[in-house]
Amino acid sequence: MRIVYRDFFLFEMANRELGENLMNDQIKAADINSSGHLQIGGVDALTLADKYGTPVLVYDVAKIRDQIHRFRNVFEQEHVEYEVSYASKAFASVAIYQVMKQEQAHIDVVSGGELATAIKADFPMEKISFHGNNKSEAELSMALEHGVGTIVVDNFHEIDLLKQLIADSSKRVNVQLRITPGIAAHTNSYIATGQVDSKFGFDVDSGQADKALRELMAISQINVTGIHAHIGSQIFDVQGFKGVAHKLVQIAADWQEKYDFHTKILNVGGGFGIKYSADDHPIHPEDFVRAIIDVVKKSAQESGIDMPAIWIEPGRSIVGPAGYTLYTIGSRKDIPGLLPYVSVDGGMGDNIRPALYNAKYEAVLARDPQAQNIEEVRIAGKYCESGDILSDRQPLPETHPGDVLVMLDTGAYDYAMASNYNRNPRPAVVFVENGRDQLVIKRESYDDLTHLDLNYSL
Ligand code: PLP
């Protein structure tokens, strides 16, 4: 007898408790409209798919604003000076920078390209921090020319470049000094950056960080405003943040004693985890922030330094949960005894994370996110790679070609890492707020794909 996976799934379902809720728990009742369709920011997902085509990445802007407010509120309640700096590598575009400007938020950029986008968005330059382990001379000049608020200095080569670039001017530059705190967060090892063996920042134990501070303090035009550390990404545990907060205070106290350096800012970086799938159990933003504040307050008091301002740099947690990628289902392949492949019109070109990090996502059908699931499938992309699988085990109701499938929580590091692999155009991006939608990044056309190509004539 041939047992296809779908039969097995139905058998399993029949044995489960009656009435068990198999609905995706990232979907709330408010996300479903009177037609039973998924709605995003008050707009029907099917209408969005119809209007903009698929694949399309849709952001619920209210969710973005809400996350920023949640981080901020705790600092306000605790009367602690702070900055919530959106790590825009998670998703950079003119429109998102404009939302950040409306929110009077601070942003991090990591390249001349992100900085150019922020300039185009008319984002206030003094509210930008410039990160990176190999900023070029051109990028540093650009940052200085535009008056970027903070350069997060990462290595000795960068100190030399900065010194040369400001030598013939009267420019004053605020810098934070990035250290590697020797703390590895409990996270996927591909994205852990806090451990000693990291390409980012100055090592503390070997004395590199001390040497960097001395060099920076010797340059009269440079004002070292703070100490920075970032321990990784998609972190679900407050211990790592408590550890880094404590370590930063210890370093600040040591440097105060040794060099009479008084830090104004401790920057604990980003990395606050979000819920991509049922296996993820993130901590509320408020709890992360409260834990960090508690440690800094207590350690600062114990070690006799003035309470510094605390900066955090959330990226994923601000835009991740606000993003929804809408795909259209096309072909299907059933293999006896194995999970079927259901293919969509996007894939690793608009979301490399499953192929790169084995990242998990969940998906629902736009026409009925509450529909009873009848099988588990693999959601395959359309790219010519066997590894182009967006989800390796997704429960779904019966699906048909033409159905709109919505992948949830795709707002961070998806479009930001998008490529034109197989010469597929990158998708459109749409912002939705208060029941209204607006195109903020156009879908690439085939002309866009070839506009940098030149004829060969040799
Ligand atoms: N800050 C720094 C220095 C980073 O390198 C990163 C991400 O790599 C972030 C903040 C943002 O991390 P996340 O998006 O996980 O919050």
Side-chain angles (χ1 to χ4, degrees):
M1 186 182 68
R2 279 185 4 167
I3 299 180
V4 292
Y5 192 84
R6 178 177 164 145
D7 298 332
F8 177 69
F9 185 82
L10 288 170
F11 171 77
E12 283 264 277
M13 296 257 305
N15 283 309
R16 286 189 193 173
E17 256 181 69
L18 262 170
E20 185 184 350
N21 182 10
L22 294 170
M23 194 178 121
N24 183 299
D25 70 355
Q26 274 128 292
I27 297 293
K28 316 254 171 321
D31 299 331
I32 296 168
N33 66 17
S34 53
S35 313
H37 303 169
L38 180 75
Q39 60 176 359
I40 305 168
V43 183
D44 191 315
L46 287 180
T47 308
L48 291 166
D50 222 34
K51 183 165 170 186
Y52 299 103
T54 60
V56 60
L57 172 58
V58 180
Y59 281 93
D60 181 343
V61 178
K63 277 193 173 181
I64 295 174
R65 297 191 199 278
D66 186 52
Q67 275 301 89
I68 297 172
H69 300 165
R70 289 183 67 177
F71 280 116
R72 271 192 188 148
N73 288 345
V74 188
F75 288 110
E76 303 277 348
Q77 285 158 13
E78 300 287 327
H79 306 289
V80 171
E81 269 192 67
Y82 70 96
E83 202 65 78
V84 175
S85 187
Y86 166 56
S88 71
K89 71 189 77 173
F91 172 61
S93 72
V94 167
I96 192 73
Y97 289 140
Q98 288 169 341
V99 170
M100 294 302 150
K101 184 178 171 184
Q102 287 170 351
E103 289 298 327
Q104 296 175 350
H106 192 104
I107 61 167
D108 286 6
V109 299
V110 293
S111 69
E114 285 183 358
L115 180 56
T117 311
I119 292 168
K120 193 157 182 192
D122 200 23
F123 190 86
M125 292 293 118
E126 69 280 5
K127 289 178 84 71
I128 296 183
S129 299
F130 194 0
H131 278 271
N133 69 303
N134 192 22
K135 303 175 191 80
S136 68
E137 186 174 335
E139 286 175 321
L140 284 171
S141 310
M142 183 179 175
L144 294 174
E145 186 194 325
H146 288 276
V148 160
T150 301
I151 310 276
V152 183
V153 173
D154 196 277
N155 53 73
F156 292 109
H157 171 64
E158 189 177 338
I159 297 178
D160 291 343
L161 282 178
L162 269 179
K163 205 167 159 180
Q164 286 162 26
L165 287 170
I166 56 177
D168 299 328
S169 75
S170 56
K171 272 205 163 76
R172 287 193 62 77
V173 190
N174 290 330
V175 308
Q176 290 179 17
L177 195 155
R178 179 167 181 172
I179 56 128
T180 38
I183 292 165
H186 293 283
T187 184
N188 184 324
S189 61
Y190 292 107
I191 43 182
T193 53
Q195 73 278 17
V196 172
D197 186 7
S198 161
K199 71 170 183 170
F200 296 104
F202 296 96
D203 176 48
V204 179
D205 294 343
S206 62
Q208 283 177 18
D210 279 52
K211 181 168 181 279
L213 178 74
R214 289 196 303 270
E215 284 192 18
L216 288 167
M217 286 179 78
I219 308 169
S220 61
Q221 286 157 272
I222 285 188
N223 178 25
V224 186
T225 56
I227 315 169
H228 173 284
H230 170 78
I231 55 170
S233 211
Q234 190 58 351
I235 298 167
F236 294 133
D237 181 354
V238 288
Q239 290 311 324
F241 285 103
K242 285 178 159 180
V244 76
H246 182 65
K247 181 93 186 199
L248 285 173
V249 175
Q250 280 183 322
I251 294 168
D254 183 42
W255 286 354
Q256 182 166 311
E257 199 184 311
K258 288 200 292 210
Y259 311 116
D260 195 26
F261 166 71
H262 295 256
T263 194
K264 293 192 189 70
I265 301 164
L266 293 184
N267 188 335
V268 297
F272 311 100
I274 65 167
K275 187 178 180 78
Y276 282 108
S277 74
D279 296 337
D280 296 331
H281 305 286
I283 295 187
H284 297 301
E286 292 82 355
D287 296 337
F288 272 124
V289 175
R290 200 156 274 123
I292 293 164
I293 293 175
D294 285 351
V295 169
V296 174
K297 269 187 178 165
K298 191 163 169 277
S299 316
Q301 206 176 23
E302 281 168 8
S303 48
I305 65 164
D306 287 343
M307 179 68 190
I310 301 174
W311 287 25
I312 58 169
E313 300 176 331
R316 184 190 313 277
S317 51
I318 288 188
V319 288
Y324 302 74
T325 306
L326 279 46
Y327 298 105
T328 301
I329 290 177
S331 66
R332 175 184 177 110
K333 178 176 180 182
D334 287 292
I335 312 168
L338 296 173
L339 261 61
Y341 290 94
V342 170
S343 294
V344 295
D345 56 354
M348 64 192 297
D350 59 81
N351 185 358
I352 188 73
R353 295 190 65 257
L356 191 62
Y357 301 133
N358 196 21
K360 305 291 174 207
Y361 286 89
E362 296 205 350
V364 294
L365 280 191
R367 66 171 155 75
D368 190 358
Q370 279 179 309
Q372 185 78 1
N373 295 322
I374 60 149
E375 61 175 345
E376 281 181 323
V377 305
R378 284 174 282 190
I379 299 175
K382 63 170 291 182
Y383 292 75
C384 284
E385 291 286 335
S386 298
D388 178 27
I389 302 293
L390 289 169
S391 171
D392 54 13
R393 186 169 281 265
Q394 174 63 53
L396 277 184
E398 190 170 331
T399 57
H400 306 282
D403 275 335
V404 174
L405 183 88
V406 184
M407 292 216 90
L408 308 171
D409 305 291
T410 56
Y413 304 103
D414 285 31
Y415 190 89
M417 292 189 180
S419 77
N420 292 122
Y421 184 46
N422 294 165
R423 289 248 145 168
N424 281 304
R426 285 178 298 170
V429 181
V430 170
F431 276 14
V432 177
E433 194 164 20
N434 298 323
R436 293 164 65 206
D437 49 275
Q438 192 184 354
L439 183 66
V440 295
I441 302 182
K442 291 185 206 166
R443 178 180 307 288
E444 271 175 332
S445 65
Y446 290 145
D447 277 347
D448 292 330
L449 288 178
T450 52
H451 86 284
L452 297 175
D453 284 25
L454 302 172
N455 287 319
Y456 181 60
S457 58
L458 293 183

